[in-house]
Structures are given as structure tokens and as C-alpha cells.
Amino acid sequence: MGSESGGRSYSLTEIFAIKFVLADIVIIAVLLLAGPWFALAVTLLFVVTSFLIWYLVERSETDESQDDAAVADSAPERDPVTKLQERYAAGELSDEEFEAKLDRLIDSNEQAEAAGIDTEELELERSR
């Protein structure tokens, strides 16, 4: 719950602490200026708004976690060879680095198969 322009983000505890400090000041002022019934009404208003803030923050955190889970579930997991090819295509790897990393992946795949470990969809063979 923070500023949309990149400002500091406050925790729920900090929000409640700030709210109750300000509420104390306002309640005391109302008590002195308007009387006890108005102070009681202002106190009840602060309590109700506190629960409302708590509910809205909890609901938004739940929605965000569900959205994050949905994005994580919908994003297909790419195999190491595809990731390596994408890095090579983007120019992050030289020809030699690409070949060395691809050889290492092939060796790892062969070692896993020799050990009886299922490598799922990653099927690599040497073309030499």
C-alpha cells in the first residue's frame, strides 16, 4: 500500500500506527471542542475505517498472490536448450560459448540417462 509514483511502500502495521496517532489527536481535539458524544462518534468512525483498511489491504494482497500464481502457472517452462538458443540469438553468447554450453548440456543429458534419470522432454544427441 504505497505511492503509485515509486514512493515508499508502507506496511499494514505502519499504516495503522500512523492512523491511530492521528486519530488520538483528532479525538482529543473533538472531545475538547465539541463534547464527549462527538468524540465517541469520531472514535467509532476511526475504528470502522481501520477495519475497512485492513479488509481492503488483505483482499488486495490475496488478489495479487492469486494473479502471481496464475502468471506463474500460465508461463510455459522452457527447456535449457531453448534458453541457450535464445541467449545465442540475442548475441549474449559467442559461437564458442554456445558450443561449449551445448556440449555441457548434452553431456549432462547423457549422464542423466545413464543413471536412469528421466530427462522429460529434453532429448539431445550429438550430431558428430
Side-chain angles (χ1 to χ4, degrees), residues 2-121:
S3 171
E4 297 296 326
S5 63
R8 184 180 189 287
S9 179
Y10 294 98
S11 72
L12 190 57
T13 305
E14 291 170 323
I15 291 170
F16 281 123
I18 293 168
K19 181 175 177 56
F20 282 112
V21 167
L22 294 174
D24 288 343
I25 294 168
V26 170
I27 291 169
I28 291 170
V30 169
L31 182 61
L32 292 174
L33 299 174
W37 289 109
F38 287 108
L40 181 62
V42 169
T43 303
L44 289 175
L45 181 66
F46 278 117
V47 169
V48 168
T49 58
S50 296
F51 281 113
L52 181 63
I53 289 172
W54 172 79
Y55 172 75
L56 293 174
V57 167
E58 289 296 317
R59 192 178 87 186
S60 86
E61 287 175 356
T62 303
D63 291 346
E64 287 175 8
S65 65
Q66 289 174 353
D67 290 345
D68 292 344
V71 168
D73 290 343
S74 67
E77 190 170 325
R78 298 172 302 160
D79 65 286
V81 175
T82 303
K83 291 177 188 177
L84 187 61
Q85 289 170 335
E86 289 173 355
R87 288 183 61 199
Y88 178 69
E92 295 177 19
L93 300 173
S94 67
D95 292 340
E96 296 80 22
E97 290 173 320
F98 176 75
E99 289 294 327
K101 290 181 184 291
L102 185 59
D103 284 341
R104 215 173 319 142
L105 281 173
I106 292 171
D107 290 339
S108 297
N109 188 50
E110 290 173 353
Q111 290 173 356
E113 286 179 358
I117 298 172
D118 182 25
T119 57
E120 296 179 15
E121 298 176 8

